[in-house]
Structure formats: structure tokens, C-alpha cells
Amino acid sequence: MASSLFAETVSLSSLDLKQMTAGWNVAKADLGIMGSPLSMHGVKFVHGVGTHATSNFRVNVNGAVERFTAKVGVDDTAGSQGSVEFVVMGDGRILWRSGVLKGGEPARAVDVNLVGVRTLELRVTDGGDGESNDHADWADATIEMNAGAPAPVALPPYETFG
């Protein structure tokens, strides 16, 4: 457990977001998909990533990772519209699902143990009803790496086999 005392925290918004897919527009560092500050249920967040369903982001964490934390939900720019589901995967296995979240609802906390995971994948689905107004926020999103571990690296959104 002592390793977590000296862990290094990496903000999701500091990674290469050009590798993140978005159903509309492009993922934005520290802003919602519409370019305004991240905000869910009236609560503003300084750091995070704004995207739009459907979205996929893969990160190589080299098995040197402790956990992933965030606050997730539909950005206030969608009003009471929009519905999304956030999914956190590790090495192809689902580790956490938010369930369907709708516009106007409070952010849901994410805290996922990633010990031993080599590839972290963050997905946003359309909640089963199409992508209209699916403004999705990964607010305060951080990856806690082991001390001295190499920095996480964004990967192309889909695994390729050559």
C-alpha cells in the first residue's frame, strides 16, 4: 500500500486527445464539447475532458497503474436532454459502468482499481436512444500511476491487427 502514497497522478486532459473519438466535434481538454466550462447539474469543473457519444479512448498504462477516478455525466449544455452511459474497461474487460445518465442529473463518481491493467479504455455510449445532445463529461478525471512508472500514452482508438 505504501506505493499509493508516492503515486503520480496524471490528468486525463493532459493526454493526446486527438486519439479520442467523438460522435460529434472533437474531444476537448478542460472544456465541454461545446467549448464552455465543464458543468454537470450546476457544478463546474476546471479539469476533465468533454466529448460526445459515441466516444472511445484507449490509454497504454503498462500495468503500472493504481486507479482511475472521475466524475461523469451529461454536460449542462445539453439541458434536460441527452443520455449516455460511461464504461471503464481494462484489457478488454468491463470494470465499471455508470448506467444510463441523463441531462440535468448530478455527476456520478468513478473510482476503479486498475492494478495490473495494461490498456485502459474509456467509452461513452448513446444510452440506447441515439446520439442527440449526448454531451459527455469526464470531469476531474485522473489516472494514478505507480511511482516512477512511465507516463500513460494515448493509443489509436481501435486496436489494429497487422
Side-chain angles (χ1 to χ4, degrees), residues 20 54 70 75 106 111 144 153:
M20 180 182 265
T54 55
D75 192 271
D111 187 347
E144 189 177 308
V153 176

Side-chain angles (χ1 to χ4, degrees), residues 43-150:
V43 177
K44 300 229 183 299
F45 298 87
V46 175
H47 297 289
V49 175
T51 189
H52 195 288
T54 55
S55 176
N56 191 42
F57 192 46
R58 296 173 62 238
V59 182
N60 180 356
V61 291
N62 286 310
V65 63
E66 296 283 328
R67 62 191 336 93
F68 172 77
T69 59
K71 305 265 188 331
V72 298
V74 176
D75 192 271
D76 285 342
T77 56
S80 62
Q81 300 180 358
S83 63
V84 296
E85 181 176 30
F86 294 81
V87 181
V88 177
M89 299 180 67
D91 299 330
R93 296 181 332 270
I94 294 174
L95 303 176
W96 183 87
R97 295 180 92 118
S98 65
V100 175
L101 302 175
K102 297 183 185 262
E105 293 181 351
R108 180 148 313 152
V110 181
D111 187 347
V112 181
N113 181 331
L114 296 178
V115 171
V117 168
R118 299 193 60 73
T119 303
L120 169 65
E121 189 168 354
L122 304 174
R123 292 184 179 182
V124 181
T125 74
D126 68 3
D129 63 356
E131 297 178 358
S132 181
N133 292 296
D134 287 353
H135 305 181
D137 291 346
W138 294 96
D140 291 343
T142 60
I143 301 169
E144 189 177 308
M145 302 297 294
N146 295 336

